Amino acid sequence: DLAMCGARPVGLSTALILEEGLPMEDLWRVVQSMQQAAREVGVPIVTGDTKVVDRGKGDGVFINTTGLGLIPDGVCIGADRAVPGDKIVINGAIADHAITILTQREGLHMEADVRSDTAPLNHLVARMLAASRDIHVLRDPTRGGVGTALNEIAVQSGVGIEIDEAAIAVNAAVAGACELLGFDPLYLANEGKLLAFVAPDAVDEVLAAMHRDPYGVQAAVIGEVVAGHPGKVFMQTLVGGSRLVGMLAGEQLPRIC
């Protein structure tokens, strides 16, 4: 969330709500994982709290975090700053996280290995901003996926958006699961992806910087901002037609992020 504002994260707080009877080995595994992630991101966990609730009323453990970051001078990013001509960039394949969580929760066996895309994006964003400050919008397409995020930006900026289905990567196993289960990957949650709206003169520099980061090697342009049909998103389909990409109505999956 901080990175999507262009901020440099400097610290995290964490609070744990523990259910009475939670095995200590489970808590230890969670805390070790948090420590490992904090080291990778380079952001310390500086404070926190714990509370215990009655058995059967806590679903194991709930974890809440709050981050503090600093926005560098000259960085101005917001969902209302997209302008016609902006190129829309994504840093990799979509829908991995939602399909991974769904298959784990429901015990569905997949022949191919499906893994969540959960990843820290602060270093990737820092590379992008070092390459160019002409980045107008950053958004992580979590709940509601890419389709919902693009619609929200189109409405807030008062612009139209056109994307190319052929340019949007979906891993084969995820695409197969979506086809089998009847899901549209455009509306599935991601946890390690970002959308960037970049001025056309700066997009090559930004892409080159992203490709040098382990979480941006698959970065690609998937569309652009247009002056027509403000507030709406259209997609050029694989069969050569064009279709409206509307807002997600209701919840396609149980909330997972």
Side-chain angles (χ1 to χ4, degrees):
D1 291 341
L2 292 170
M4 294 306 101
C5 300
R8 178 179 60 85
V10 295
L12 284 171
S13 72
T14 184
L16 294 90
I17 301 175
L18 311 175
E19 183 179 354
E20 180 188 4
L22 178 74
M24 285 301 296
E25 56 267 27
D26 289 353
L27 178 59
W28 182 241
R29 182 165 55 90
V30 168
V31 172
Q32 284 186 312
S33 178
M34 293 169 63
Q35 181 187 50
Q36 179 182 348
R39 284 175 174 169
E40 179 182 0
V41 177
V43 180
I45 299 172
V46 296
T47 189
D49 190 23
T50 59
K51 290 290 184 290
V52 178
V53 298
D54 293 340
R55 187 185 300 271
K57 297 184 178 180
D59 198 23
V61 57
F62 282 94
I63 304 173
N64 173 269
T65 63
T66 300
L68 178 69
L70 300 174
I71 298 177
D73 291 339
V75 174
C76 186
I77 291 171
D80 59 348
R81 299 194 69 243
V83 295
D86 280 353
K87 300 299 182 181
I88 304 169
V89 176
I90 195 167
N91 63 316
I94 65 172
D96 290 349
H97 180 72
I99 291 299
T100 300
I101 299 301
L102 175 67
T103 55
Q104 290 294 316
R105 281 184 174 178
E106 302 301 326
L108 302 177
H109 175 70
M110 303 288 293
E111 292 185 3
D113 188 23
V114 180
R115 292 179 177 270
S116 170
D117 65 340
T118 300
L121 298 179
N122 57 318
H123 298 303
L124 173 61
V125 170
R127 285 180 183 269
M128 295 166 65
L129 291 172
S132 174
R133 294 295 174 92
D134 217 353
I135 299 171
H136 300 149
V137 181
L138 288 170
R139 174 65 65 86
D140 50 339
T142 50
R143 189 156 47 99
V146 169
T148 298
L150 290 176
N151 271 278
E152 291 172 348
I153 294 166
V155 170
Q156 292 176 11
S157 292
V159 297
I161 290 176
E162 295 180 356
I163 56 175
D164 182 3
E165 185 176 13
I168 303 172
V170 182
N171 290 323
V174 172
C178 288
E179 184 175 354
L180 179 66
L181 300 170
F183 293 129
D184 185 340
L186 278 177
Y187 296 105
L188 296 185
N190 309 271
E191 282 293 337
K193 297 298 177 292
L194 64 79
L195 294 165
F197 286 59
V198 185
D201 292 344
V203 70
D204 289 341
E205 292 176 280
V206 171
L207 276 174
M210 296 176 76
H211 291 157
R212 291 192 293 269
D213 189 276
Y215 298 118
V217 292
Q218 293 182 304
V221 175
I222 64 169
E224 65 179 329
V225 178
V226 298
H229 54 80
K232 291 184 171 57
V233 180
F234 282 87
M235 182 169 71
Q236 187 74 20
T237 66
L238 292 172
V239 297
S242 180
R243 75 170 177 90
L244 177 68
V245 178
M247 290 284 287
L248 175 64
E251 291 283 351
Q252 191 174 40
L253 288 171
R255 181 168 181 172
I256 56 178
C257 59

